[in-house]
């Protein structure tokens, strides 16, 4: 059926498939995760479709927005939008795949071709993802990097094997069970330095969501960083404080002074000991008030 919309109507409707925003640029990729092949087609296609939907251009790849649906005065505008979508797709694939679609003229045809070539969902990819989820550990990564890696794996796994979402009691029970499983997976492979925080989370009733647990672990990590910054400060501060606090209580002998100085320079203990025995030290404090003697 031919649309009766005019160009003025299109310009007035920001959600119209043929409307282009001033910010729309043909040379910008739709996703930073460029398509490389079967291994990342699922997550790539979802990312591209989300961006096209946000731009009201998903019909150009689904084949539901056809040039024949519009009157002759809108055909050129359709061609322009189709060229935009084609350019976005071209810049969203790897260089190895770019040449194969560079000369295509229809976005829907290109999308169908890519789907046919790379949408090969089978048990092997699901198995690989599940194995990565079960074996990933924090190791030398930060908590945030570790959790981000886990979430990406979970997202792709859900895209391949979507959990039920009907809202029925069985569906809600399954989703709750899945949430607990992922909470345990996240906590299980944290480094041993988070044992105490992990134990505190596991005794909570009810157990928190995995996102809440992540926030709690991050709070614990922040406390560790703050505590580490204090403990890594001037190691001789307490000794120096004790030294000068004793000014009003009596005197500090040479041995106490050497110990205090050596505490501030623990890394050079041997050098400090030799230096403190030099005659210049005695000369330095000669004639000072009684508490230096």
């Amino acid at each position: 059926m031919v649309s009766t919309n005019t160009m003025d109507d299109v310009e007035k409707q920001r959600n119209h498939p043929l409307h282009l925003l001033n910010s729309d640029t043909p040379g910008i990729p739709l996703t930073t995760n460029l398509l490389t092949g079967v291994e990342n087609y699922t997550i790539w296609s979802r990312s591209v479709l989300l961006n096209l939907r946000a731009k009201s251009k998903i019909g150009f790849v689904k084949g539901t927005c056809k040039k024949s649906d519009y009157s002759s005065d809108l055909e050129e505008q359709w061609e322009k939008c189709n060229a935009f979508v084609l350019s976005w797709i071209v810049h969203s694939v790897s260089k190895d795949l770019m040449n194969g679609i560079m000369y295509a003229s229809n976005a829907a045809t290109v999308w169908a071709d890519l789907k046919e070539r790379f949408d090969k969902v089978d048990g092997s990819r699901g198995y690989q993802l599940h194995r990565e989820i079960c074996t990933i550990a924090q190791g030398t990564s930060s908590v945030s990097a570790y959790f981000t890696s886990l979430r990406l794996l979970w997202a792709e796994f859900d895209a391949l094997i979507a959990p039920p979402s009907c809202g029925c009691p069985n569906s809600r029970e399954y989703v709750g069970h899945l949430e607990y499983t992922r909470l345990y997976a996240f906590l299980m492979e944290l480094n041993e330095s988070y044992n105490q925080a992990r134990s505190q989370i596991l005794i909570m009733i009810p157990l928190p969501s995995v996102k809440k647990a992540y926030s709690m672990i991050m709070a614990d990590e922040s406390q560790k960083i703050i505590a580490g910054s204090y403990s890594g400060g001037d190691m001789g501060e307490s000794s120096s404080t004790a030294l000068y606090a004793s000014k009003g209580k009596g005197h500090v002998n040479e041995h106490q002074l050497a110990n205090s100085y050596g505490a501030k320079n623990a890394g050079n203990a041997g050098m400090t000991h030799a230096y403190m025995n030099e005659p210049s030290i005695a000369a330095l404090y000669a004639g000072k008030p009684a508490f230096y003697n």
Side-chain angles (χ1 to χ4, degrees):
M1 182 177 179
V2 178
S3 173
T4 58
N5 288 345
T6 64
M7 193 62 200
D8 289 339
D9 295 330
V10 170
E11 291 299 328
K12 292 177 183 177
Q13 301 178 45
R14 295 177 60 86
N15 293 327
H16 194 285
L18 301 187
H19 180 79
L20 289 170
L21 300 174
N22 293 331
S23 58
D24 287 332
T25 305
I28 297 179
L30 291 170
T31 175
T32 56
N33 297 316
L34 302 184
L35 176 65
T36 57
V38 175
E39 65 276 3
N40 74 329
Y41 174 81
T42 301
I43 193 169
W44 173 85
S45 62
R46 285 177 62 86
S47 179
V48 169
L49 289 176
L50 283 173
N51 280 282
L52 288 176
R53 188 179 297 279
K55 295 175 178 291
S56 301
K57 299 293 182 291
I58 196 169
F60 283 89
V61 297
K62 292 289 189 178
T64 57
C65 182
K66 303 175 182 178
K67 183 167 66 172
S68 59
D69 293 338
Y70 298 96
S71 56
S72 57
D73 62 323
L74 291 177
E75 289 182 356
E76 182 57 33
Q77 183 65 15
W78 185 93
E79 290 286 0
K80 182 178 180 178
C81 292
N82 178 67
F84 266 68
V85 175
L86 266 174
S87 179
W88 290 333
I89 294 175
V90 167
H91 287 87
S92 299
V93 303
S94 64
K95 292 183 178 180
D96 294 337
L97 301 177
M98 187 182 293
N99 292 335
I101 61 177
M102 181 65 72
Y103 301 103
S105 59
N106 187 285
T109 301
V110 169
W111 186 260
D113 178 63
L114 292 175
K115 182 177 177 63
E116 182 180 358
R117 291 165 61 188
F118 301 117
D119 189 13
K120 308 296 183 183
V121 179
D122 54 28
S124 60
R125 181 54 183 163
Y127 169 80
Q128 182 181 355
L129 283 171
H130 185 67
R131 182 176 181 177
E132 290 181 35
I133 291 170
C134 292
T135 57
I136 189 173
Q138 181 186 354
T140 58
S141 302
S142 64
V143 174
S144 59
Y146 163 59
F147 185 65
T148 298
S149 298
L150 259 178
R151 289 194 63 182
L152 289 174
L153 290 171
W154 289 335
E156 187 175 353
F157 188 82
D158 288 345
L160 287 177
I161 308 173
S165 57
C166 60
C168 64
N170 288 340
S171 175
R172 290 194 296 270
E173 184 178 349
Y174 175 83
V175 171
H177 174 75
L178 184 62
E179 181 73 12
Y180 284 137
T181 301
R182 291 180 175 178
L183 171 64
Y184 297 147
F186 167 62
L187 295 176
M188 188 183 304
E189 297 302 334
L190 285 169
N191 290 341
E192 291 184 1
S193 58
Y194 297 98
N195 281 350
Q196 183 176 357
R198 175 169 46 213
S199 297
Q200 291 175 348
I201 291 172
L202 290 173
I203 63 174
M204 293 176 66
I205 300 175
L207 285 172
S209 66
V210 66
K211 292 181 181 179
K212 177 65 175 177
Y214 166 70
S215 299
M216 296 170 69
I217 293 294
M218 286 298 295
D220 183 73
E221 184 178 53
S222 298
Q223 291 177 356
K224 290 180 186 296
I225 293 173
I226 294 173
S229 66
Y230 281 111
S231 65
D234 191 346
M235 297 301 291
E237 183 177 356
S238 59
S239 298
S240 299
T241 302
L243 172 67
Y244 289 103
S246 64
K247 287 183 178 180
K249 296 182 179 180
H251 68 276
V252 179
N253 59 33
E254 183 179 341
H255 180 68
Q256 289 174 312
L257 183 62
N259 284 344
S260 174
Y261 189 89
K264 284 182 67 66
N265 298 275
N268 298 302
M271 185 181 296
T272 300
H273 178 73
Y275 183 75
M276 295 302 294
N277 289 327
E278 289 291 329
S280 58
I281 295 297
L284 177 65
Y285 292 99
K288 297 295 182 182
F291 58 80
Y292 280 104
N293 296 325

